[in-house]
Amino acid sequence: MVVATTVTGKAIRHATRPTWAEVSLSALRQNFRVVQEHVGSDVTVCSVVKADAYGHGAIECSLALEEEGGKWFGVTSLDEAIPLRDAGLGGRILLMTGFWRGEEEEIVGLGLTPTVWEPWQIKALDKAAAKLGVSKHPVHLKADTGMGRLGVHLKDLPDACALLASSPHLQVEGFSTHLASSEVLDAPSSEAQLKQFQEARRILDRAGLKPTFIHAANTSANISRRESWNTMVRLGLALYGYYLPFQRAGREVSGGAWRLGVKPVLTWKTRILSVRDAGAHEALGYGGTYVTQSPARIAVLPVGYADGLNRALSAGGRVIVRDHYAPIVGRISMDLTLVDVTGILGVDVGDEVILLGSSDGLMVSAREHAELANTIPYEILCAISKRVPRRPQ
């Protein structure tokens, strides 16, 4: 779990600045059970814990998921995999965006499963496995079916298959692709990509490669496209309690068919640093962009965009104080944010404030932040900085 610390002359002191995030490992476990039940026991869930588990703390989240029955964990790179192994994670770790030259021996030595698509990756891994005496190191081959980022194009797939088949120290255990628009229900590209993926699987079959794990579905596809599940799904955002809104004909689609019973795992909190009385027609914050219309009571919060509180929330954002919504006023600055607590009785220095989370039927979600900031919940969660300690609950 990310915990801000400072090394002094004699000891390590933990941060006492009152801005922190509580991570409910019980909610995370429940979300895993929900998604596993959704896809059924025949489909393997790969828990995506890249980007420090989307800002939730990769080590603690991964260990909790492994205890809950998780077998696979998806990370971006070797740098993200090593701390998990060091922490004792025994499950399979999938390097979803490949690796850099020179990392292949460490990958084999740590028992990591890399995604491959370039000839040099296959050759380097086969050589490393031979050097380390590993007879069949598992790899997952990735096809580019229309995302246009990583993966082998179908025209080059036969050559990639031939190279893998002639690599005696490698085993093609998995085959994957990534859908570009799985949250858009009427996106023709998704159907086209799935058809391309089926053709790619036929190419593998003709080459004599029969991978166990076939995966294309992320969180959105897991909800919207049953046909994309195959034998493995890669679940990230849903584990942490969110998923993107679904669209059809350019409009958001809601309803039971497009819902998954997951709950937010992270609650972000701070405490009031100061309470000030402002007069009518008083400008607040940088640039004086907010001017009070009448006398107001303003609470100063020790949190800002350096902590990950998106500056776009300066217009329209809100927090929860004493079971009431309080609007953000003025521009969010690097370390401080102002909220209007006029009319909320008893507000005082030290009061707990919820930036993300719920209380007494009120909620401020990462999706709400994302809509105000014209972004996605992924970015809101990942942007919570390392100076915000994560506290497992």
Side-chain angles (χ1 to χ4, degrees):
M1 194 66 62
V2 178
V3 178
T5 58
T6 301
V7 180
T8 65
K10 295 182 179 180
I12 296 177
R13 69 177 294 275
H14 295 282
T16 54
R17 178 171 173 262
T19 298
W20 72 98
E22 297 172 355
V23 178
S24 172
L25 297 180
S26 61
L28 178 70
R29 289 170 178 264
Q30 173 63 23
N31 289 345
F32 178 83
R33 292 194 295 269
V34 167
V35 298
Q36 184 65 78
E37 183 178 350
H38 179 68
V39 298
S41 59
D42 292 337
V43 178
T44 298
V45 173
C46 178
S47 301
V48 179
V49 294
K50 65 178 180 177
D52 199 33
Y54 294 23
H56 291 67
I59 290 175
E60 285 75 9
C61 287
S62 297
L63 293 175
L65 289 166
E66 186 170 46
E67 289 177 358
E68 195 57 43
K71 305 297 185 185
W72 280 83
F73 302 86
V75 301
T76 292
S77 63
L78 177 63
D79 289 337
E80 291 185 335
I82 289 173
L84 298 182
R85 281 287 186 253
D86 288 345
L89 187 73
R92 302 292 300 280
I93 300 178
L94 178 65
L95 305 181
M96 298 189 298
T97 57
F99 61 95
W100 291 92
R101 293 181 189 272
E103 294 179 337
E104 53 271 13
E105 287 189 20
E106 198 162 12
I107 287 169
V108 173
L110 289 172
L112 308 177
T113 305
T115 299
V116 299
W117 63 92
E118 299 274 5
W120 73 263
Q121 296 172 324
I122 298 168
K123 295 174 182 177
L125 280 168
D126 189 59
K127 183 178 179 181
K131 180 179 179 180
L132 296 176
V134 176
S135 59
K136 291 290 182 181
H137 189 79
V139 300
H140 286 214
L141 178 63
K142 183 167 189 172
D144 180 5
T145 58
M147 184 72 166
R149 297 190 313 185
L150 304 178
V152 60
H153 290 287
L154 261 65
K155 64 181 178 61
D156 300 318
L157 188 54
D159 289 341
C161 289
L163 181 57
L164 283 162
S166 64
S167 300
H169 300 280
L170 299 182
Q171 175 189 4
V172 183
E173 181 193 39
F175 185 50
S176 70
T177 194
H178 194 70
L179 302 179
S181 304
S182 53
E183 73 279 4
V184 182
L185 301 177
D186 53 356
S189 63
S190 294
E191 293 296 330
Q193 282 194 262
L194 290 173
K195 288 180 180 178
Q196 286 258 319
F197 196 45
Q198 287 299 320
E199 174 56 29
R201 291 178 64 182
R202 286 191 284 270
I203 294 173
L204 259 69
D205 189 61
R206 290 195 292 269
L209 302 178
K210 300 185 183 299
T212 301
F213 297 106
I214 309 294
H215 47 110
N218 60 1
T219 287
S220 293
N222 179 59
I223 300 171
S224 67
R225 297 185 180 277
R226 170 67 180 81
E227 68 275 18
S228 71
W229 291 357
N230 299 294
T231 58
M232 176 182 275
V233 292
R234 304 183 302 267
L235 270 295
L237 193 60
L239 291 176
Y240 311 108
Y242 292 96
Y243 45 88
L244 295 180
F246 293 96
Q247 298 178 23
R248 180 184 283 122
R251 295 184 178 182
E252 184 173 332
V253 176
S254 60
W258 316 116
R259 293 184 183 276
L260 194 62
V262 293
K263 298 179 180 179
V265 170
L266 182 144
T267 300
W268 189 7
K269 295 180 177 180
T270 189
R271 293 189 183 277
I272 292 175
L273 176 66
S274 180
V275 181
R276 310 169 66 82
D277 292 312
H281 311 299
E282 186 173 329
L284 303 178
Y286 281 120
T289 57
Y290 180 84
V291 179
T292 60
Q293 298 302 303
S294 56
R297 194 153 177 78
I298 303 299
V300 184
L301 309 181
V303 63
Y305 59 76
D307 301 287
L309 192 64
N310 198 296
R311 197 164 178 263
L313 301 178
S314 301
R318 59 184 179 174
V319 301
I320 301 172
V321 183
R322 288 183 171 258
D323 294 329
H324 289 77
Y325 288 121
I328 295 172
V329 294
R331 286 179 178 164
I332 293 171
S333 57
M334 184 178 291
D335 309 302
L336 300 170
T337 296
L338 306 179
V339 297
D340 189 338
V341 294
T342 306
I344 303 177
L345 297 179
V347 173
D348 203 352
V349 172
D351 280 357
E352 188 174 275
V353 177
I354 296 175
L355 306 167
L356 281 178
S358 61
S359 175
D360 196 31
L362 307 180
M363 172 176 276
V364 179
S365 69
R367 180 175 174 182
E368 178 179 319
H369 278 203
E371 289 173 348
L372 290 168
N374 192 30
T375 185
I376 52 178
Y378 294 85
E379 183 180 2
I380 297 299
L381 295 170
C382 291
I384 301 174
S385 77
K386 289 187 175 181
R387 80 174 186 181
V388 178
R390 274 64 160 183
R391 300 177 182 174
Q393 304 291 305

